[in-house]
Amino acid sequence: MLRLLILRWEFPLFPALSALASHFIFVFQEFYKPGPKSAETSILCVPILAYVYANVFSILVDRTPASMLLASLATAIPSAFLAIYFIHSRQIERKSKPKISTTKMLVFALAGLALVALSAYGLAEIPACTKCRRGAELIGHLEFERYYLICLFGGMIGMSSFLFLHEALRRYFKPAIK
């Protein structure tokens, strides 16, 4: 299986360069930037994970709505956990009077996850088009493109939704913890 991954790994221009640039910016932000760090550097993991998971899923897995959703969640969940870790380990201050209610935040989180699931279903069911040569040079072949787009945009929306969900649950259970 590893041999199959090595032989069929894709290096399209845009995804490879965005993953490489995100990696260098992440390393610079975390190790060489003086001053206080923030939790926003975890969003740089999304293009890196999107590139890796798009390659892995396009090579090893058949395209179904469930596999597209799994690829998107595999991108979003580690990035969200990294952001939560950064928030707690760096003791980033939260506003004492939030402008959004807990119920609205929960609705936004669930709506974002529903949007990711709907877009995964849509991308899995789009018929193939073989006329685009320039798109294949820039983003990769069609299977890679589909997985890359759902991992990139679904990963960002899913990461935000999981962070909203974490904050809503933290607010909801805050009185029970004290």
Side-chain angles (χ1 to χ4, degrees), residues 29 33-38 90:
Q29 288 283 337
K33 179 184 170 194
K37 311 286 192 227
S38 65
R90 295 176 179 165

Side-chain angles (χ1 to χ4, degrees), residues 92-175:
I92 296 173
E93 294 179 18
R94 292 184 172 93
K95 294 182 179 179
S96 59
K97 293 184 181 178
K99 294 182 180 180
I100 186 170
S101 70
T102 305
T103 310
K104 273 188 183 178
M105 193 172 286
L106 188 62
V107 168
F108 286 155
L110 296 177
L113 292 175
L115 178 67
V116 170
L118 189 64
S119 61
Y121 178 77
L123 273 175
E125 299 298 325
I126 291 177
C129 172
T130 57
K131 295 179 183 177
C132 289
R133 298 279 183 226
R134 184 67 61 195
E137 292 172 3
L138 293 177
I139 301 179
H141 63 85
L142 187 63
E143 291 299 312
F144 179 85
E145 281 181 35
R146 290 178 183 185
Y147 278 108
Y148 182 72
L149 290 176
I150 194 65
C151 285
L152 186 67
F153 295 115
M156 287 186 189
I157 294 169
M159 177 185 159
S160 301
S161 297
F162 284 127
L163 290 176
F164 277 147
L165 188 63
H166 172 262
E167 185 63 23
L169 293 175
R170 188 191 68 80
R171 285 185 196 172
Y172 182 73
F173 289 118
K174 188 176 183 180

Side-chain angles (χ1 to χ4, degrees), residues 7 21 60 66 135:
L7 292 176
L60 297 178

Side-chain angles (χ1 to χ4, degrees), residues 22-34 37 41:
S22 295
H23 174 70
F24 284 138
I25 293 170
F26 182 83
V27 169
F28 174 75
Q29 288 283 337
E30 289 302 311
F31 298 115
Y32 300 112
K33 179 184 170 194
K37 311 286 192 227
T41 54

Side-chain angles (χ1 to χ4, degrees), residues 1-9 55-56 59-61:
M1 181 167 35
L2 184 61
R3 179 181 225 171
L4 180 67
L5 278 175
I6 291 171
L7 292 176
R8 299 183 86 198
W9 196 266
N55 267 310
V56 170
I59 293 170
L60 297 178
V61 180

